[in-house]
PDB file of all heavy atoms in Angstrom:
ATOM      1  N   ALA B 185      71.162 -68.553  99.636  1.00 98.00           N
ATOM      2  CA  ALA B 185      71.867 -69.301  98.603  1.00 98.00           C
ATOM      3  C   ALA B 185      70.928 -70.265  97.904  1.00 98.00           C
ATOM      4  O   ALA B 185      70.926 -70.368  96.694  1.00 98.00           O
ATOM      5  CB  ALA B 185      73.044 -70.050  99.233  1.00 98.00           C
ATOM      6  N   GLY B 186      70.089 -70.937  98.709  1.00 98.00           N
ATOM      7  CA  GLY B 186      69.118 -71.902  98.135  1.00 98.00           C
ATOM      8  C   GLY B 186      68.142 -71.174  97.214  1.00 98.00           C
ATOM      9  O   GLY B 186      67.911 -71.558  96.076  1.00 98.00           O
ATOM     10  N   THR B 187      67.615 -70.037  97.704  1.00 98.00           N
ATOM     11  CA  THR B 187      66.624 -69.322  96.928  1.00 98.00           C
ATOM     12  C   THR B 187      67.240 -68.772  95.649  1.00 98.00           C
ATOM     13  O   THR B 187      66.616 -68.792  94.589  1.00 98.00           O
ATOM     14  CB  THR B 187      66.050 -68.146  97.780  1.00 98.00           C
ATOM     15  OG1 THR B 187      65.613 -68.668  99.050  1.00 98.00           O
ATOM     16  CG2 THR B 187      64.848 -67.484  97.086  1.00 98.00           C
ATOM     17  N   ALA B 188      68.470 -68.287  95.748  1.00 98.00           N
ATOM     18  CA  ALA B 188      69.140 -67.741  94.563  1.00 98.00           C
ATOM     19  C   ALA B 188      69.323 -68.816  93.478  1.00 98.00           C
ATOM     20  O   ALA B 188      69.045 -68.580  92.309  1.00 98.00           O
ATOM     21  CB  ALA B 188      70.477 -67.126  94.937  1.00 98.00           C
ATOM     22  N   ALA B 189      69.748 -70.005  93.915  1.00 98.00           N
ATOM     23  CA  ALA B 189      69.932 -71.107  92.933  1.00 98.00           C
ATOM     24  C   ALA B 189      68.547 -71.408  92.300  1.00 98.00           C
ATOM     25  O   ALA B 189      68.450 -71.610  91.099  1.00 98.00           O
ATOM     26  CB  ALA B 189      70.503 -72.315  93.617  1.00 98.00           C
ATOM     27  N   GLY B 190      67.510 -71.432  93.115  1.00 98.00           N
ATOM     28  CA  GLY B 190      66.177 -71.698  92.593  1.00 98.00           C
ATOM     29  C   GLY B 190      65.708 -70.656  91.624  1.00 98.00           C
ATOM     30  O   GLY B 190      65.115 -70.933  90.583  1.00 98.00           O
ATOM     31  N   LEU B 191      66.026 -69.381  91.948  1.00 98.00           N
ATOM     32  CA  LEU B 191      65.653 -68.275  91.037  1.00 98.00           C
ATOM     33  C   LEU B 191      66.360 -68.413  89.721  1.00 98.00           C
ATOM     34  O   LEU B 191      65.769 -68.202  88.663  1.00 98.00           O
ATOM     35  CB  LEU B 191      66.031 -66.947  91.662  1.00 98.00           C
ATOM     36  CG  LEU B 191      64.976 -66.279  92.539  1.00 98.00           C
ATOM     37  CD1 LEU B 191      65.543 -65.032  93.206  1.00 98.00           C
ATOM     38  CD2 LEU B 191      63.741 -65.898  91.706  1.00 98.00           C
ATOM     39  N   VAL B 192      67.646 -68.818  89.729  1.00 98.00           N
ATOM     40  CA  VAL B 192      68.373 -69.011  88.467  1.00 98.00           C
ATOM     41  C   VAL B 192      67.704 -70.099  87.667  1.00 98.00           C
ATOM     42  O   VAL B 192      67.440 -69.965  86.469  1.00 98.00           O
ATOM     43  CB  VAL B 192      69.844 -69.340  88.745  1.00 98.00           C
ATOM     44  CG1 VAL B 192      70.552 -69.749  87.456  1.00 98.00           C
ATOM     45  CG2 VAL B 192      70.558 -68.136  89.369  1.00 98.00           C
ATOM     46  N   ASN B 193      67.347 -71.237  88.324  1.00 98.00           N
ATOM     47  CA  ASN B 193      66.616 -72.308  87.664  1.00 98.00           C
ATOM     48  C   ASN B 193      65.359 -71.761  87.026  1.00 98.00           C
ATOM     49  O   ASN B 193      65.065 -71.994  85.841  1.00 98.00           O
ATOM     50  CB  ASN B 193      66.233 -73.388  88.651  1.00 98.00           C
ATOM     51  CG  ASN B 193      67.376 -74.306  89.000  1.00 98.00           C
ATOM     52  OD1 ASN B 193      68.329 -74.436  88.231  1.00 98.00           O
ATOM     53  ND2 ASN B 193      67.301 -74.939  90.157  1.00 98.00           N
ATOM     54  N   GLY B 194      64.610 -71.022  87.808  1.00 98.00           N
ATOM     55  CA  GLY B 194      63.297 -70.475  87.368  1.00 98.00           C
ATOM     56  C   GLY B 194      63.470 -69.528  86.204  1.00 98.00           C
ATOM     57  O   GLY B 194      62.685 -69.598  85.219  1.00 98.00           O
ATOM     58  N   LEU B 195      64.469 -68.676  86.251  1.00 98.00           N
ATOM     59  CA  LEU B 195      64.671 -67.714  85.150  1.00 98.00           C
ATOM     60  C   LEU B 195      65.031 -68.460  83.855  1.00 98.00           C
ATOM     61  O   LEU B 195      64.538 -68.106  82.786  1.00 98.00           O
ATOM     62  CB  LEU B 195      65.746 -66.716  85.501  1.00 98.00           C
ATOM     63  CG  LEU B 195      65.296 -65.628  86.538  1.00 98.00           C
ATOM     64  CD1 LEU B 195      66.518 -64.786  86.998  1.00 98.00           C
ATOM     65  CD2 LEU B 195      64.239 -64.718  85.911  1.00 98.00           C
ATOM     66  N   LEU B 196      65.893 -69.460  83.988  1.00 98.00           N
ATOM     67  CA  LEU B 196      66.301 -70.213  82.803  1.00 98.00           C
ATOM     68  C   LEU B 196      65.097 -70.968  82.206  1.00 98.00           C
ATOM     69  O   LEU B 196      64.956 -71.087  80.987  1.00 98.00           O
ATOM     70  CB  LEU B 196      67.441 -71.177  83.122  1.00 98.00           C
ATOM     71  CG  LEU B 196      68.797 -70.457  83.362  1.00 98.00           C
ATOM     72  CD1 LEU B 196      69.809 -71.399  83.934  1.00 98.00           C
ATOM     73  CD2 LEU B 196      69.279 -69.806  82.048  1.00 98.00           C
ATOM     74  N   VAL B 197      64.240 -71.473  83.072  1.00 98.00           N
ATOM     75  CA  VAL B 197      63.055 -72.232  82.579  1.00 98.00           C
ATOM     76  C   VAL B 197      62.053 -71.289  81.944  1.00 98.00           C
ATOM     77  O   VAL B 197      61.520 -71.532  80.869  1.00 98.00           O
ATOM     78  CB  VAL B 197      62.396 -73.046  83.714  1.00 98.00           C
ATOM     79  CG1 VAL B 197      61.059 -73.599  83.267  1.00 98.00           C
ATOM     80  CG2 VAL B 197      63.331 -74.197  84.125  1.00 98.00           C
ATOM     81  N   THR B 198      61.792 -70.127  82.606  1.00 97.00           N
ATOM     82  CA  THR B 198      60.692 -69.258  82.112  1.00 97.00           C
ATOM     83  C   THR B 198      61.159 -68.239  81.097  1.00 97.00           C
ATOM     84  O   THR B 198      60.426 -67.901  80.191  1.00 97.00           O
ATOM     85  CB  THR B 198      60.017 -68.537  83.288  1.00 97.00           C
ATOM     86  OG1 THR B 198      60.998 -67.745  83.989  1.00 97.00           O
ATOM     87  CG2 THR B 198      59.374 -69.506  84.271  1.00 97.00           C
ATOM     88  N   ARG B 199      62.355 -67.724  81.214  1.00 96.00           N
ATOM     89  CA  ARG B 199      62.817 -66.667  80.276  1.00 96.00           C
ATOM     90  C   ARG B 199      63.542 -67.283  79.092  1.00 96.00           C
ATOM     91  O   ARG B 199      63.212 -66.965  77.948  1.00 96.00           O
ATOM     92  CB  ARG B 199      63.732 -65.673  80.979  1.00 96.00           C
ATOM     93  CG  ARG B 199      63.073 -64.905  82.088  1.00 96.00           C
ATOM     94  CD  ARG B 199      62.160 -63.817  81.525  1.00 96.00           C
ATOM     95  NE  ARG B 199      61.163 -63.445  82.513  1.00 96.00           N
ATOM     96  CZ  ARG B 199      61.385 -62.548  83.501  1.00 96.00           C
ATOM     97  NH1 ARG B 199      62.538 -61.955  83.564  1.00 96.00           N
ATOM     98  NH2 ARG B 199      60.442 -62.283  84.382  1.00 96.00           N
ATOM     99  N   ALA B 200      64.499 -68.167  79.391  1.00 96.00           N
ATOM    100  CA  ALA B 200      65.261 -68.745  78.271  1.00 96.00           C
ATOM    101  C   ALA B 200      64.502 -69.926  77.684  1.00 96.00           C
ATOM    102  O   ALA B 200      64.893 -70.460  76.622  1.00 96.00           O
ATOM    103  CB  ALA B 200      66.614 -69.197  78.767  1.00 96.00           C
ATOM    104  N   ARG B 201      63.397 -70.324  78.312  1.00 95.00           N
ATOM    105  CA  ARG B 201      62.515 -71.375  77.811  1.00 95.00           C
ATOM    106  C   ARG B 201      63.267 -72.696  77.570  1.00 95.00           C
ATOM    107  O   ARG B 201      63.074 -73.352  76.579  1.00 95.00           O
ATOM    108  CB  ARG B 201      61.770 -70.961  76.552  1.00 95.00           C
ATOM    109  CG  ARG B 201      61.036 -69.680  76.743  1.00 95.00           C
ATOM    110  CD  ARG B 201      59.868 -69.439  75.783  1.00 95.00           C
ATOM    111  NE  ARG B 201      59.123 -68.287  76.210  1.00 95.00           N
ATOM    112  CZ  ARG B 201      58.106 -68.326  77.016  1.00 95.00           C
ATOM    113  NH1 ARG B 201      57.706 -69.500  77.506  1.00 95.00           N
ATOM    114  NH2 ARG B 201      57.469 -67.240  77.372  1.00 95.00           N
ATOM    115  N   LEU B 202      64.155 -73.015  78.516  1.00 97.00           N
ATOM    116  CA  LEU B 202      64.848 -74.292  78.415  1.00 97.00           C
ATOM    117  C   LEU B 202      64.078 -75.300  79.231  1.00 97.00           C
ATOM    118  O   LEU B 202      63.393 -74.993  80.166  1.00 97.00           O
ATOM    119  CB  LEU B 202      66.280 -74.116  79.000  1.00 97.00           C
ATOM    120  CG  LEU B 202      67.163 -73.172  78.219  1.00 97.00           C
ATOM    121  CD1 LEU B 202      68.412 -72.823  79.009  1.00 97.00           C
ATOM    122  CD2 LEU B 202      67.534 -73.785  76.855  1.00 97.00           C
ATOM    123  N   PRO B 203      64.218 -76.601  78.845  1.00 97.00           N
ATOM    124  CA  PRO B 203      63.494 -77.634  79.619  1.00 97.00           C
ATOM    125  C   PRO B 203      64.036 -77.727  81.039  1.00 97.00           C
ATOM    126  O   PRO B 203      65.236 -77.634  81.258  1.00 97.00           O
ATOM    127  CB  PRO B 203      63.819 -78.943  78.840  1.00 97.00           C
ATOM    128  CG  PRO B 203      64.591 -78.568  77.654  1.00 97.00           C
ATOM    129  CD  PRO B 203      64.980 -77.133  77.721  1.00 97.00           C
TER     130      PRO B 203
END
Side-chain angles (χ1 to χ4, degrees):
Chain B
T187 310
L191 270 174
V192 171
N193 282 336
L195 285 171
L196 288 170
V197 169
T198 58
R199 296 285 158 83
R201 305 202 172 270
L202 296 167

